[in-house]
Amino acid sequence: MNHKSFVFFDCECANTFDGVGKICSLGYVICDDDLNIIESEDVVMNPECDFDWYLLSGKGDCKLAYSKDYFRIKPNFESYYKDIKKLFTTGNRYIAGFAVSNDVGFVNDACERYDIPYIQFRAFDLERYLERKYEKKQKLVEWAQEFGVNVAKYQSHKSEDDAIMTMLCLKAECMRTGQSVEEIISSPEGKNCFVSNEQILEQAAERAYRREMTEKIKRLYGKKSPMPHFKTVLGERFELDNKILRDVDYAFELVKKIYDNGGVTGEHLTASGNAVFISMPNPEHVKKIEKRGLKIMLLEELEGLLK
């Protein structure tokens, strides 16, 4: 019989400053077809960075499971790389997690930090599956309590325990539905809940590009061309609605055109200027705009003025 194994994993980070996660622990549990535990471990590592003070403060519900000194004496991610790669790429194995897009992203971040090849894998996101099926969003411990899982002996934000709780929630869902794990994750709904490291890389690249373009747009805010190519909107001020700004490529070209035509673009204008919308906003919104001393202008009208 073609037996499969299932790996549930979770990561904790010392910080995520600048949008980059620095892993300090990667917990996992390996199970057989029936989700019986074969092996589990909390791989604790030195993140080689500062810890976010909040994680070690004891405040709130987000507290790391070990002391800062304990993390510091451990090897770094690169030292565990081969074992982690083997964990995620061994044949005939499914990978899963809760809110796993974050964890896949953290593994990508670690590979980038240490300049080592990305680990090519994909993982089933139990959070996404349960949220879509039951039409509500809950934390892992809340799902565990709903499924009747005894969480007393597990510590939140201890990676190994979070991985085990994820497994137990999926096991409870199997019992509730009468389906096997493979039937759930291979169903049309389940297939839509996988994320790959390539997808996360693409999303990260898209976010970086959007940040770059947004910065270019904002660098033009408040600036008036000393020698405009045209004078179709000379001296006029414009504030763009967020729906226009979502398309960063178009928004940049539009702001540049306003600049080249003698106008000025800005944020949160008051006293005078034009608030530009794709379509006419609702009456209440119009009143708020007019109270700020601005006039409503449709994008189509603005485009007609610019050369």
Side-chain angles (χ1 to χ4, degrees), residues 20-299:
V20 177
K22 294 86 173 178
I23 298 177
C24 57
S25 67
L26 188 154
Y28 69 87
V29 54
I30 303 175
C31 303
D32 63 17
D33 302 60
D34 299 317
L35 296 187
N36 299 305
I37 295 177
I38 300 170
E39 175 188 333
S40 71
E41 184 180 355
D42 206 13
V43 182
V44 181
M45 60 192 76
N46 184 350
E48 298 186 309
C49 68
D50 293 331
F51 283 83
D52 190 330
W53 70 271
Y54 185 77
L55 299 176
L56 299 164
S57 69
K59 296 180 179 179
D61 63 351
C62 191
K63 186 178 185 299
L64 293 177
Y66 309 97
S67 70
K68 182 163 60 175
D69 290 340
Y70 186 70
F71 288 111
R72 292 286 188 228
I73 64 173
K74 293 295 183 178
N76 63 17
F77 177 88
E78 189 173 17
S79 303
Y80 295 111
Y81 173 75
K82 288 183 179 178
D83 290 336
I84 292 171
K85 183 177 180 180
K86 183 179 179 182
L87 179 72
F88 291 149
T89 59
T90 294
N92 216 27
R93 175 172 285 177
Y94 286 107
I95 315 297
F98 188 87
V100 80
S101 294
N102 294 328
D103 300 301
V104 174
F106 297 151
V107 174
N108 283 343
D109 289 342
C111 292
E112 288 180 4
R113 287 184 71 208
Y114 292 99
D115 196 24
I116 47 184
Y118 293 116
I119 301 173
Q120 305 295 325
F121 72 107
R122 67 187 196 120
F124 175 76
D125 188 352
L126 181 61
E127 180 191 46
R128 187 182 300 182
Y129 178 83
L130 295 177
E131 185 178 326
R132 291 177 178 180
K133 179 174 180 181
Y134 294 103
E135 298 182 340
K136 60 182 176 181
K137 188 174 182 68
Q138 297 189 128
K139 296 178 181 178
L140 175 58
V141 69
E142 292 170 335
W143 281 114
Q145 290 167 345
E146 182 170 322
F147 281 121
V149 175
N150 183 0
V151 297
K153 62 181 178 179
Y154 301 116
Q155 181 178 344
S156 289
H157 303 294
K158 180 180 178 184
S159 299
E160 181 183 4
D161 284 3
D162 282 345
I164 292 172
M165 279 197 287
T166 301
M167 179 274 290
L168 292 173
C169 284
L170 183 53
K171 192 171 188 176
E173 172 68 6
C174 290
M175 294 178 66
R176 178 182 285 189
T177 63
Q179 294 176 289
S180 68
V181 185
E182 193 168 0
E183 285 172 336
I184 287 176
I185 65 180
S186 299
S187 68
E189 298 79 14
K191 286 179 179 178
N192 288 326
C193 295
F194 276 89
V195 293
S196 68
N197 78 299
E198 292 98 334
Q199 287 174 299
I200 302 303
L201 287 169
E202 288 170 4
Q203 291 168 8
E206 172 65 18
R207 286 195 298 272
Y209 178 74
R210 290 185 64 82
R211 282 196 301 270
E212 179 186 345
M213 292 302 296
T214 299
E215 287 170 7
K216 288 175 71 174
I217 291 167
K218 290 188 175 183
R219 281 198 291 270
L220 284 171
Y221 281 177
K223 292 185 178 178
K224 182 179 178 181
S225 173
M227 298 181 64
H229 299 313
F230 309 100
K231 299 181 180 180
T232 62
V233 292
L234 187 64
E236 293 193 51
R237 303 198 305 161
F238 301 90
E239 177 182 302
L240 305 180
D241 182 55
N242 285 332
K243 288 182 180 179
I244 298 172
L245 293 169
R246 283 174 192 164
D247 185 341
V248 289
D249 293 312
Y250 173 78
F252 174 71
E253 291 303 320
L254 181 62
V255 171
K256 190 171 181 300
K257 273 189 178 182
I258 291 171
Y259 177 82
D260 289 339
N261 280 257
V264 176
T265 310
E267 291 182 288
H268 313 301
L269 301 182
T270 56
S272 65
N274 302 278
V276 185
F277 294 86
I278 294 173
S279 58
M280 185 61 70
N282 65 59
E284 285 300 313
H285 198 172
V286 170
K287 285 180 183 178
K288 290 179 181 178
I289 295 295
E290 291 176 341
K291 277 186 179 180
R292 290 162 54 200
L294 306 183
K295 295 181 294 184
I296 303 295
M297 176 181 280
L298 295 183
L299 180 59

